[in-house]
Structure formats: structure tokens, C-alpha cells
Amino acid sequence: MKRIAIFGSGRGSNAKNIIEYFKFHKNISIKLMVTNKSGAGIITVGKENKIPTLIIEDHKQDLNDKILKTLTENLIDFVVLAGFLLKIPSTLINKFPNCIINIHPALLPKYGGKGMYGINVHKAVLKNNETVSGITIHFVNEDYDKGEIIFQAKCSVLPNDSPKLLSKKIQKLEHQFYPIIIEKLITNEH
Ligand code: GRF
């Protein structure tokens, strides 16, 4: 059984979707949630599914030590970031080589980097009159949104789309593809 931890700072819709997808899976199980926001929706998702949740403070030391300790204690094999807004420390990246992935709500390498999260991404895409946007699933390295790309899916951007409407289209893609890609990665390579 491969044991997954999901990290998130937001609503937790991806976390919820991933948990549901793997609920009865033979080889993959969600064993831990990690968040840095005490009021995050992702905590409720963890509670509802009886998955232990680590809530961390924003201090670097805390992030390093507590996360590493908890991942080790819970025998975690693979880390899935779903809207986690803190930078992942290099100690963690080194401990989980090619075993930490993230989903980004745009087609990287465009619209990535610091400050490019949530609605900011969609506003930037619309401002540049892009006709296509989408999702990127990628490995996590020391640079924000710069790790090797694993998968992308596209959707059209229409002239009248608002940032909110675009975010809905993108979340639909995220929910459709993130669990499948996680499953493929873990089943084929781990
Ligand atoms: C997603 O749109 C994801 O692309 C981004 O953060 C958002 C998280 O949404 N990295 P949710 O908390 O899963 O609803």
C-alpha cells in the first residue's frame, strides 16, 4: 500500500476529490493532511474522512521539523500538493525525490512563480487575452512552479469569461485529471 499525504491551504476541493477517488483503492491510500491555515476547508475534509491533519505554523523551522517528523511517523511515500501556499523546504524535496507533485491552474511555464496563485492567475490570463488556459501537474523542486511537467490539459478562454468563470472551468479539469495522474505515477514508477 502506497501512503499519500495531501498538503493544502485552501478550500480543499481537490483533496476531497482525491480522497473520494482512492477511498476503496487496493494499493493507494490517503493517510495524512497537512495545512498551514487553521481555518482551511481542507481541515474539515480531513475530519469528515477521519484522516489525521497536521496544522503547522508559518515558521520555517516548524515547517521543516514537524512535517518531516509527521511524514516519517505516518510512513508517507508520496506527497500531493493541492493549493499549498508555502514553499516546500529543500530537506523535504531531497527526502522525497520525484515523490512530491503539485497542480497549477494554468499552462506552465506561463503564469507561474511567486504571487501566481488562485484568482491572480486567471486575472493575468484574461488580461493578456489568452484564448487557451488549463492545468499543469508537475514535480516540485526548489523553484516555485518550475519542476518537470508531468501532464497538462487545456480549456478555451472566451472573451466574456470572468476570472471566476475561468477558475470554475479549471477546477473541473483539476478534479477530472489530478487523481488519475497520481494513480498513474504511483502505479507505474513507485
Ligand atoms: C487549485 O486551483 C490548484 O490549482 C491551486 O490551488 C487550488 C486549490 O483549490 N494550486 P482547492 O483548495 O483544492 O479547492
Side-chain angles (χ1 to χ4, degrees):
M1 181 66 80
K2 293 289 174 186
R3 301 166 68 90
I4 298 184
I6 302 178
F7 287 32
S9 316
R11 267 190 328 133
S13 72
N14 278 286
K16 188 170 184 214
N17 181 56
I18 293 165
I19 291 166
E20 268 161 27
Y21 185 89
F22 290 110
K23 207 159 206 163
F24 303 107
H25 200 281
K26 280 198 306 218
N27 314 109
I28 297 169
S29 181
I30 315 303
K31 293 294 187 194
L32 180 71
M33 316 280 276
V34 177
T35 187
N36 66 311
K37 289 260 182 297
S38 53
I42 200 164
I43 297 174
T44 317
V45 175
K47 267 197 196 129
E48 280 169 2
N49 290 281
K50 300 193 173 57
I51 299 171
T53 302
L54 170 69
I55 304 170
I56 45 155
E57 307 291 328
D58 283 20
H59 310 300
K60 254 200 167 146
Q61 200 51 37
D62 196 41
L63 188 67
N64 264 318
D65 296 349
K66 272 203 189 148
I67 293 184
L68 263 179
K69 188 168 168 271
T70 315
L71 292 180
T72 311
E73 278 169 4
N74 285 275
L75 305 171
I76 297 301
D77 302 292
F78 199 86
V79 173
V80 169
L81 308 186
F84 190 62
L85 294 180
L86 293 184
K87 199 161 185 207
I88 299 296
S90 44
T91 36
L92 204 64
I93 293 169
N94 296 335
K95 217 138 191 216
F96 289 85
N98 281 343
C99 290
I100 309 179
I101 62 169
N102 181 42
I103 191 160
H104 186 77
L107 297 172
L108 293 173
K110 281 175 123 184
Y111 306 106
K114 208 160 187 212
M116 274 292 148
Y117 62 86
I119 209 78
N120 297 349
V121 178
H122 309 307
K123 280 184 180 163
V125 167
L126 289 166
K127 200 171 167 207
N128 282 349
N129 297 316
E130 299 283 1
T131 53
V132 177
S133 189
I135 59 166
T136 303
I137 297 169
H138 63 94
F139 287 112
V140 172
N141 65 12
E142 273 91 356
D143 290 324
Y144 271 117
D145 302 326
K146 295 250 175 75
E148 185 195 334
I149 291 174
I150 301 162
F151 174 85
Q152 292 188 306
K154 294 177 182 169
C155 66
S156 54
V157 181
L158 303 176
N160 287 336
D161 279 354
S162 62
K164 204 164 175 198
L165 197 79
L166 185 53
S167 84
K168 282 199 175 143
K169 282 193 213 174
I170 302 270
Q171 281 240 303
K172 215 170 159 193
L173 288 179
E174 293 182 339
H175 296 166
Q176 184 182 352
F177 288 110
Y178 209 9
I180 299 174
I181 298 301
I182 294 167
E183 186 178 29
K184 269 199 185 148
L185 271 175
I186 295 183
T187 320
N188 293 343
E189 299 185 23
H190 291 270

